[in-house]
Amino acid sequence: MKPLRYSDWSLFGWHGLTLEVPLEWNPGKISGDFKAGSVRLDDPTLARLEIEWKDARGDERVAPIVDRFLDGLAESARKGKKSVDINRSPDAGWLDLHDACSPVSFNWHAEYRVHALAFYSPPSDRLVFARVRTKQDEDAGDSIQRILNSIRDTSPDGHRTWALYDLVCSSPPRFSLESYELKSGHLRLCFQRGQDILQVDRLSLAQVLLKRRTLLDWYQEFFRKSLRQVNLDFRETQVGNHPGLLLSGKPKSRWRGLLMPLPFWNVRPRLNMEARVWTCNHENKIYAVHAYYKKQKDAPDIENVRRSVICHRDAVPERATT
């Protein structure tokens, strides 16, 4: 078999779960929420990693779930008249997971080789099931061990790290992922706690977007819909170590809001706004972090979120404070 080794690795994080993966593996499918969901990571030729999670409701038993899964796998193979070689008890002396209970390692060989791990996670009270797929002629033992041993979980009451493609950031406690966009050239993660909103945007090709216009001009055009409801103030400054903008906005009066071209039955809440926007010349990207809130006492700590953003691979995230 030929060795399958990777020189470049990155962090992947979604709904409180983080792990190290080869840099060329990117999301192919994402579904669910914190309580139950799944992610599939693909390389250019194959779906390489699948990780699933679900609310355990305090039930730490893992082995019965694995047994049912493997019995179903064997039954499906019989019905399809295909062969599958299942190993329920491989050598797992390499396994070194933090904060994991009742880990079960197993693998099977069919069209591909699949190396799997299931465990109960006390921090989140979830059952986690991860599996890595390789081709029959690939030897990826070291990489598989690195991936599976790197899995970490987070309490629902803690900061959560979100990492995909080349965006890394953190959401504060009690903020849940409300929506996301994973477009070519534009990533957006939107978190919400009641009426309070945090939004992180990352855009590629900054030099093209800022050709013949300033960062402020671009910002006002790109975010024009959300700026309709606020009176905007701004200041050019350094954001971290990058050139950027500090912005704030107070909601316009109710009378002016009624004059806006919006349906009267879709009146938006009148929220205060803060933003940090900067360009990273190292990666040729624009980053924007927004906070929207009703009352000042409930305002999200936008600086903590801004400091959590890693905008290029050599950067180190500034420590979030509590």
Side-chain angles (χ1 to χ4, degrees), residues 72-139:
L73 182 66
E75 180 64 21
S76 296
R78 282 193 295 270
K79 290 182 178 179
K81 296 182 180 181
K82 298 179 180 179
S83 63
V84 58
D85 181 12
I86 297 174
N87 185 358
R88 294 174 179 255
S89 303
D91 178 16
W94 53 269
L95 195 58
D96 183 23
L97 277 175
H98 297 269
D99 298 325
C101 289
S102 308
V104 178
S105 174
F106 54 101
N107 57 58
W108 67 90
H109 301 170
E111 182 181 0
Y112 299 101
R113 296 176 180 268
V114 181
H115 307 262
L117 173 68
F119 63 91
Y120 170 76
S121 173
S124 66
D125 187 28
R126 295 188 291 188
L127 293 169
V128 180
F129 181 21
R131 48 197 182 272
V132 182
R133 182 182 289 108
T134 62
K135 298 176 183 178
Q136 290 286 5
D137 62 346
E138 293 175 338
D139 178 7

Side-chain angles (χ1 to χ4, degrees), residues 299-313:
D301 190 340
I302 190 173
E303 271 300 301
N304 256 352
V305 179
R306 194 277 304 168
R307 285 193 294 266
S308 77
V309 175
I310 302 177
C311 58
H312 56 269
R313 293 187 63 199

